Amino acid sequence: MAEPPAPSRADPARLRADCSRCAGLCCVVPAFARSADFALDKPAGVACPHLADAPGQFGCRIHDELRPRGFPGCTAYDCFGAGQLVVQHTYGGATWRSSPGLAAQMFAVFVVVRPLHELLWLLTQAAALGAAAPVRGALDLAAAEVERLVQGPADRLVAVDVDEVRAAVVPLLRHASELARAPESGPDLSGTDLVGQRLGGLRGASLRGALLLGADLRDADLHLADVTGADLRSADVRGADLRQVLFLSQPQVASARGDERTLLPQGLRRPEHWSDPGSS
């Protein structure tokens, strides 16, 4: 019987996107649907027309105008470091332009690695919770297993069943969340449709997968609320103290409407558009 992988906690900096070491994978691999988030339709695997096409260049030509040009979805996207891992580690610096024959496989690998890196980020966040000490060993082992998968070769990565990995990890994350929220005993609103509602009394709540699109959270008490997978697009968090919100991610922050008074957890960046009332 194979020995279990050694506990390993991923470097948090490695789980943040570094576009300078990627090859514009987020501008090519996903499909865009014309909507409030994207100003055009784009099939999966086709480069966005705004992606630079000069040799060796993979920047966005309208990066500084994404929101006014109708692409707020781009500003809220984060690959959790999957892009640079795929390009620099899995393919040794090769890109879909320099090696067109690798493009289809590279795109398929990215589709696997991106959700695995998000799970790795969640496991890292969970393991850092003081109240999660009873399950920290299991969290570390799960993180080590996900790390082993993402470090594998391309032919193995494309065969990974992401849903199976997620099914093994989610119960651990839920348990860590329950331990952290136990002192608050908030309501379980997991998966609830709260679109556009004015909300309060969410201290210690489970908002996992909740729809908070356009919700008014200005006066809500979100201390130790779990927002894993919650849709916070256009949610109004102006003036809110989010420092103790559990599993709040950079994409969620970027998709919400905040201001200079909004307080964020350590490690999360204040979106530039928060300082511009006209683009929030």
Side-chain angles (χ1 to χ4, degrees), residues 40 53 58 65 85 98 112 127 170 195 204 209 234 242 273:
L40 52 78
D53 55 9
F58 295 98
E65 302 176 295
L85 181 131
S98 65
V112 170
V170 166
V195 173
S234 297
L242 306 178
H273 66 268

Side-chain angles (χ1 to χ4, degrees), residues 14-38:
R14 191 171 63 78
L15 298 177
R16 289 195 291 267
D18 182 352
C19 298
S20 68
R21 303 181 64 232
C22 185
L25 291 177
C26 66
C27 303
V28 183
V29 179
F32 300 166
R34 187 185 295 272
S35 62
D37 291 318
F38 300 102

Side-chain angles (χ1 to χ4, degrees), residues 46-183:
V46 175
C48 173
H50 299 299
L51 181 66
D53 55 9
Q57 299 297 311
F58 295 98
C60 174
R61 287 188 289 239
I62 62 168
H63 183 269
D64 295 334
E65 302 176 295
L66 281 168
R67 295 185 73 84
R69 295 280 291 269
F71 293 90
C74 293
T75 67
Y77 182 86
D78 194 311
C79 72
F80 293 93
Q84 65 258 29
L85 181 131
V86 170
V87 172
Q88 301 299 331
H89 173 75
T90 312
Y91 288 96
T95 73
W96 52 276
R97 280 181 176 155
S98 65
S99 303
L102 294 176
Q105 186 191 61
M106 184 178 291
F107 298 165
V109 167
F110 181 75
V111 168
V112 170
V113 174
R114 196 274 178 189
L116 292 183
H117 261 220
E118 184 172 7
L119 286 174
L120 200 53
W121 180 83
L122 288 167
L123 286 165
T124 302
Q125 295 291 305
L129 297 172
V135 293
R136 187 162 295 126
L139 290 167
D140 283 344
L141 284 172
E145 174 59 16
V146 176
E147 181 70 26
R148 182 188 70 79
L149 292 173
V150 299
Q151 293 292 330
D155 58 341
R156 292 184 184 174
L157 277 166
V158 295
V160 171
D161 186 332
V162 175
D163 289 337
E164 182 178 302
V165 177
R166 185 180 288 112
V169 168
V170 166
L172 281 173
L173 295 173
R174 284 205 181 104
H175 194 176
S177 171
E178 290 165 359
L179 290 169
R181 292 184 292 108

